Amino acid sequence: MKRWLTAAEQLQRLAVCVAQRRCLSSGASSGPIPVRDAVLVVGSRRELVERLGSQVEVRTAFISEEEEQALLRELEPGLKKKRYEFDHWDDAIHGYRETERARWGAACEEVLNRLRSVAFPEGSQLLGPVHVLDLDKTGYIKPHIDSVKFCGSTIAGLSLLSDSVMRLVKEGATDEWLDLLLPRHSLYILRDQARYNFTHEILKDEDSVFNGLKVPRSRRISVICRNLPA
Ligand code: OGA
Ligand code: MN
């Protein structure tokens, strides 16, 4: 049976076979690039990737297998009591259940503190509860911009259980886009223009392709921290 490659295997492939037709965030112009500089962001134009590069970050292996387990142990009991929501046609999210959590056990708090220290400027006022979004295998997030009334300049999220592709599209200029590969265990950060002037979405399994490579999407849980508007 044909097996889809994991994101890590795909990154290996990307590393030895740099597709040059589109713009790569590494800026490499020829030859193989090492896996540690693997391409996690591609876009419609090189200038866009370069300009927005500082406002879009993906950090692979930000959490360990054990840390993912610790997060899941805290989250699963509450999530399992809820049903996935599919039928609100006007919702930005399809096939999901969600929760918020303000207090965490020590292992999880340590992960969240690490996230906060890399994602937010010191002294930032953060939205108190952490947002947890559980997408079913068939679930997806449609293009949207997070409320400017309730959240500030920075959105940071951990990806548990599945790789996925996040797409950013410039509002009012749909030919300007970036795709982010979000491997399981990674952290992504969207700041400033990337957060305010571009919609973001998580592609459904059928459409989940990054730089020409299929990225199979299974159930995915994201743990999202936001700051407050200034
Ligand atoms: C959201 C959102 C992204 C994610 O809940 O507004 O865009 O990583 N989530 O789940
Ligand atoms: Mn959002």
Side-chain angles (χ1 to χ4, degrees):
M1 201 181 85
K2 188 168 187 316
R3 184 178 70 86
W4 292 115
L5 298 176
T6 65
E9 288 166 332
Q10 296 195 14
L11 289 174
Q12 288 279 1
R13 290 201 162 188
L14 277 169
V16 291
C17 155
V18 182
Q20 283 299 334
R21 216 168 58 76
R22 292 202 254 173
C23 312
L24 306 175
S25 64
S26 69
S29 56
S30 66
I33 53 170
V35 174
R36 69 173 179 283
D37 297 332
V39 174
L40 299 165
V41 182
V42 296
S44 49
R45 283 185 304 120
R46 179 181 289 276
E47 298 73 47
L48 182 65
V49 177
E50 282 165 5
R51 185 160 53 77
L52 230 56
S54 60
Q55 299 168 28
V56 169
E57 238 183 278
V58 182
R59 298 191 181 209
T60 51
F62 188 78
I63 60 169
S64 66
E65 191 73 45
E66 293 72 36
E67 288 170 331
E68 178 185 65
Q69 285 305 318
L71 290 161
L72 292 171
R73 269 197 305 276
E74 281 203 34
L75 295 172
E76 281 284 33
L79 288 171
K80 280 197 173 131
K81 291 187 191 134
K82 305 183 181 215
R83 276 188 302 133
Y84 287 109
E85 312 261 346
F86 288 98
D87 30 19
H88 304 293
W89 62 270
D90 57 342
D91 266 359
I93 313 180
H94 181 86
Y96 72 104
R97 48 194 183 183
E98 65 185 335
T99 187
E100 284 187 339
R101 200 174 181 90
R103 306 192 58 80
W104 298 78
C108 297
E109 196 57 43
E110 200 180 301
V111 172
L112 291 168
N113 282 335
R114 198 164 75 231
L115 178 162
R116 291 175 187 123
S117 71
V118 305
F120 300 98
E122 230 177 279
S124 280
Q125 293 262 45
L126 302 190
L127 209 67
V130 174
H131 179 200
V132 176
L133 184 66
D134 177 353
L135 276 186
D136 178 68
K137 176 178 169 44
T138 61
Y140 56 95
I141 306 180
K142 299 175 199 168
H144 69 281
I145 294 177
D146 283 20
S147 160
V148 295
K149 201 164 138 199
F150 299 110
C151 34
S153 61
T154 305
I155 303 167
L158 298 171
S159 296
L160 314 185
L161 297 177
S162 176
D163 305 330
S164 61
V165 179
M166 176 177 272
R167 177 162 295 158
L168 307 188
V169 179
K170 180 144 189 209
E171 242 201 335
T174 51
D175 58 334
E176 297 209 30
W177 55 268
L178 292 185
D179 278 354
L180 279 53
L181 176 59
L182 304 182
R184 178 182 186 181
H185 298 162
S186 67
L187 169 70
Y188 71 82
I189 308 169
L190 305 180
R191 299 188 173 94
D192 304 322
Q193 285 180 54
R195 175 262 184 273
Y196 290 115
N197 302 340
F198 286 72
T199 60
H200 56 273
E201 62 193 288
I202 295 285
L203 303 183
K204 63 174 84 163
D205 183 45
E206 300 98 280
D207 302 336
S208 189
V209 172
F210 177 80
N211 204 28
L213 293 168
K214 175 77 189 161
V215 179
R217 247 291 319 288
S218 52
R219 179 187 177 206
R220 168 182 185 269
I221 296 179
S222 50
V223 175
I224 307 159
C225 294
R226 298 178 171 93
N227 58 0
L228 290 169

